[in-house]
Amino acid sequence: MKLDDWCVERPSDRCTRHLNAEACKADKACYGLPYRGESLVACQFDERGFGLNCPTVGCTSTPPRRTQ
């Protein structure tokens, strides 16, 4: 709900052991969970789901969905 919250999507997911975006990003098997709350600007994300101008709020082994 808040910009600095850290979500644990599924406790059985090995990537949820990472406690911050930096540790998650360092693990090439993991992807970022994007912030989905309100923002003054449109959020942009890299190919692994890490926010470029919005926070990453969790870590998962599930790749982000591609939008076209």
Side-chain angles (χ1 to χ4, degrees):
M1 297 299 288
K2 296 184 301 188
L3 291 174
D4 61 349
D5 282 346
W6 189 255
C7 305
V8 177
E9 190 173 71
R10 294 173 305 196
S12 61
D13 186 331
R14 67 177 283 285
C15 290
T16 60
R17 66 189 165 130
H18 300 301
L19 301 179
N20 57 52
E22 293 80 24
C24 182
K25 196 170 192 174
D27 187 336
K28 298 299 182 194
C30 298
Y31 303 89
L33 287 174
Y35 174 69
R36 293 187 183 107
E38 293 183 23
S39 176
L40 296 175
V41 296
C43 291
Q44 298 175 1
F45 306 97
D46 69 11
E47 64 280 350
R48 289 180 51 215
F50 293 96
L52 301 174
N53 65 336
C54 288
T56 300
V57 296
C59 192
T60 181
S61 61
T62 304
R65 284 185 269 174
R66 299 281 176 210
T67 57
Q68 304 218 11

